[in-house]
Amino acid sequence: LRLVGAEGRGMAKMSPEQWAKGKNAPVLTADWRFGETGQPYCEILDVRTPAEFAEDHLPGAINLPVLSNDQRVLVGTMYASSPFEGRKLGAGLIMETLSGYLKEHFAEKGKDYRPLVYCWRGGQRSGSLAHVLSEVGFRSSKLDGGYKTYRAEVQEYLKRDHKYRWCMLSGPTGSCKTRLLKRFGAAGHQVIDLEGLANHRGSVLGGMGDQPSQKAFEGTLAWALRDIDPTRPVWVESESANIGSVQLPYKVIDALRKAPRFE
């Protein structure tokens, strides 16, 4: 690879190993994969509607909706006119759903089963399932603040000035940048495949199927950045601000524009 420069002068004489070392990058404030014992949860259960789950969810979560898309609209409409009647209707629908889950999804779970449950903001939907599971004898936990807190944390994380040692692969379309990036990863180098996260191969090659929502893309990117060692170079392919229908966060775009480029 030949270093072809970056924003500012003097960059072309630097190798990736000479690239300025950054401070330890902050991590997401809550690692929701682990409980108080330090052991990973058996499952992460998202009890929001299928539509909410499809737009974005915590990495690794599975969807066990306590209300369907239509049921949530029905309950919300009734709640607007009568909170009491809305809660009563919602409770009845949720109990019917939970009965089915106990007979199916949780039927084979042992007493050491430890799930983490969340909804949009850690309220009644997640509380209903967590309560029932705890009464059964499972050691269930509820994510404080729910998805709303997780989403706010992702947004805040992507606005930080992370001092990663970016090294950018550059070259024309068809020059095997993606293949080279994968070989770097297989050899133990730090790599972030932005096109892979976006499920899109750029403006010329196009999509590889359905792209994630902007929220889902940002969540996956934030988690990938979280695991980066800031003392080592991290390789990335040169990209425009938009990768198909999703957009790179401003701080990432700005950092990549200043990174040394290799082609």
Side-chain angles (χ1 to χ4, degrees):
L1 292 175
R2 180 172 61 90
L3 182 60
V4 295
E7 184 174 281
R9 298 190 178 277
M11 295 290 188
K13 297 180 180 179
M14 299 176 65
S15 70
E17 308 309 326
Q18 294 170 318
W19 187 239
K21 291 184 178 180
K23 298 179 180 179
N24 289 333
V27 299
L28 296 179
T29 56
D31 193 341
W32 34 261
R33 297 175 301 178
F34 300 91
E36 295 179 356
T37 63
Q39 298 298 315
Y41 289 108
C42 298
E43 287 182 315
I44 300 173
L45 306 178
D46 185 327
V47 301
R48 299 175 303 155
T49 64
E52 292 173 290
F53 182 83
E55 182 180 26
D56 187 27
H57 52 268
L58 274 65
I62 62 174
N63 192 207
L64 286 184
V66 296
L67 292 174
S68 69
N69 296 329
D70 293 338
Q71 287 174 338
R72 184 178 181 232
V73 173
L74 180 63
V75 171
T77 301
M78 183 170 289
Y79 184 88
S81 59
S82 173
F84 173 75
E85 293 298 328
R87 285 194 294 267
K88 187 168 65 173
L89 174 62
L93 294 172
I94 288 174
M95 288 303 105
E96 290 178 4
T97 301
L98 295 186
S99 175
Y101 287 153
L102 288 171
K103 296 174 183 178
E104 298 171 4
H105 185 82
F106 301 108
E108 302 300 323
K109 307 296 185 185
K111 61 181 180 180
D112 57 346
Y113 174 68
R114 297 174 57 256
L116 176 66
V117 186
Y118 75 93
C119 58
W120 186 66
R121 58 182 178 184
Q124 295 179 346
R125 287 186 289 176
S126 58
S128 61
L129 178 57
H131 174 73
V132 169
L133 294 180
S134 294
E135 288 297 306
V136 169
F138 296 125
R139 292 181 295 167
S140 62
S141 299
K142 188 173 72 169
L143 181 65
D144 291 339
Y147 169 80
K148 184 178 180 180
T149 294
Y150 164 75
R151 173 61 185 163
E153 193 172 298
V154 166
Q155 290 178 298
E156 191 277 332
Y157 187 79
L158 293 176
K159 291 178 181 178
R160 298 178 187 174
D161 287 312
H162 298 294
K163 303 300 181 182
Y164 296 124
R165 300 172 60 192
W166 295 105
C167 295
M168 187 163 61
L169 288 177
S170 179
T173 299
S175 57
C176 298
K177 297 187 297 295
T178 300
R179 184 181 301 176
L180 185 58
L181 203 65
K182 290 182 178 180
R183 293 185 66 177
F184 279 10
H189 298 284
Q190 293 190 126
V191 166
I192 291 186
D193 183 1
L194 295 173
E195 292 183 348
L197 297 181
N199 202 36
H200 196 278
R201 287 304 176 196
S203 58
V204 176
L205 298 179
M208 302 184 293
D210 293 336
Q211 285 196 261
S213 68
Q214 182 66 31
K215 291 181 179 179
F217 173 70
E218 290 176 359
T220 306
L221 176 59
W223 201 249
L225 292 175
R226 181 189 184 278
D227 290 334
I228 291 297
D229 179 355
T231 66
R232 299 171 53 211
V234 52
W235 290 90
V236 65
E237 188 175 339
S238 61
E239 299 292 348
S240 61
N242 295 299
I243 309 176
S245 62
V246 299
Q247 185 176 44
L248 289 171
Y250 171 76
K251 289 293 185 180
V252 175
I253 298 172
D254 187 55
L256 294 182
R257 286 172 177 168
K258 298 174 183 178
R261 295 185 296 116
F262 297 81
E263 67 176 17

